[in-house]
Amino acid sequence: MSKKEMQVVRNLDLNRYMGRWYEIASFPSFFQPKNGEDTRATYTLKDDGTVNVLNETWSNGKRDYIEGIAYKADKNSDEAKLKVKFYVPPFLPLFPVVGDYWVLYVDEDYQYALVGQPSRKYLWILCRQTQMDEETYKFLEQKAIDEGYDISKLHKTPQHDPPPEGAGPEDKKGLWWLKSLIGK
């Protein structure tokens, strides 16, 4: 795979990017339950210019979530290179964990996006709807290949239509987070 500098979106309109995005596919990661379904992110712009991040997924019939803050990596840049900070473990937030969130592509209507980060360990295909047509999916896969990603690692995320609404029963013990650390 190519290790060229990734091209990111320039002049991202944060106001248009806000709202709910459904995870259509992603690279499996230790910080998400392996059997997660209906995974989504909701972004809300705050008065100070940072973004509130709410990541949710359902596993074993329970809602798992974590909240964090996103902000521009370089306030003077027009590149869509953000940092996302979460405190872990979610049930007793003690330690900040900061990651890269680079918007590699967003369509002109802000309906689907490709998000990654510089090590190419993580990749997300996001959509405003719970389902994405195959042509758009293949287009975003090709964009990922062009940025040096090995798309054989992509895993489609099961999404129900309609998606779950409300909080639902929660994993109040945060066990999903602990299990994710040991690969369960």
Side-chain angles (χ1 to χ4, degrees):
M1 290 280 115
S2 168
K3 293 298 180 190
K4 69 178 179 82
E5 177 75 19
M6 282 195 275
Q7 300 298 306
V8 299
V9 171
R10 291 188 177 273
N11 301 307
L12 180 72
D13 184 338
L14 272 182
N15 286 310
R16 292 182 69 201
Y17 198 78
M18 295 300 99
R20 179 163 290 164
W21 291 90
Y22 295 94
E23 180 184 282
I24 302 302
S26 68
F27 282 5
S29 62
F30 75 91
F31 50 82
Q32 286 184 268
K34 292 191 183 320
N35 63 342
E37 297 181 345
D38 299 310
T39 304
R40 62 192 185 199
T42 305
Y43 305 123
T44 308
L45 191 59
K46 297 169 62 169
D47 290 338
D48 65 2
T50 62
V51 175
N52 188 71
V53 177
L54 172 61
N55 287 343
E56 301 172 280
T57 193
W58 275 255
S59 63
N60 301 320
K62 293 186 179 178
R63 175 181 173 254
D64 301 323
Y65 71 96
I66 191 166
E67 289 188 79
I69 297 293
Y71 52 93
K72 287 196 71 164
D74 177 353
K75 290 182 183 183
N76 298 317
S77 174
D78 67 348
E79 294 180 311
K81 293 180 179 180
L82 305 175
K83 294 283 189 184
V84 182
K85 183 187 331 183
F86 296 101
Y87 285 89
V88 295
F91 54 88
L92 182 64
L94 297 174
F95 307 103
V97 175
V98 179
D100 292 299
Y101 182 105
W102 289 12
V103 182
L104 305 175
Y105 181 82
V106 65
D107 72 301
E108 65 183 34
D109 295 325
Y110 283 66
Q111 294 301 300
Y112 50 88
L114 182 68
V115 176
Q117 47 78 256
S119 75
R120 295 175 176 84
K121 287 183 183 177
Y122 306 111
L123 182 69
W124 293 271
I125 292 178
L126 305 176
C127 186
R128 296 291 189 175
Q129 306 299 318
T130 57
Q131 308 298 319
M132 176 181 282
D133 66 81
E134 194 63 21
E135 182 180 340
T136 302
Y137 184 81
K138 292 292 184 196
F139 171 79
L140 292 172
E141 277 187 327
Q142 186 58 53
K143 287 279 188 194
I145 290 168
D146 294 346
E147 294 301 337
Y149 279 92
D150 173 6
I151 64 164
S152 70
K153 299 176 190 173
L154 265 177
H155 169 75
K156 286 194 175 181
T157 305
Q159 294 283 351
H160 294 94
D161 203 5
E165 289 302 326
E170 293 179 13
D171 174 1
K172 293 190 183 294
K173 298 175 187 160
L175 293 178
W176 69 271
W177 186 82
L178 292 172
K179 288 177 183 177
S180 70
L181 288 179
I182 57 174
K184 298 282 183 190

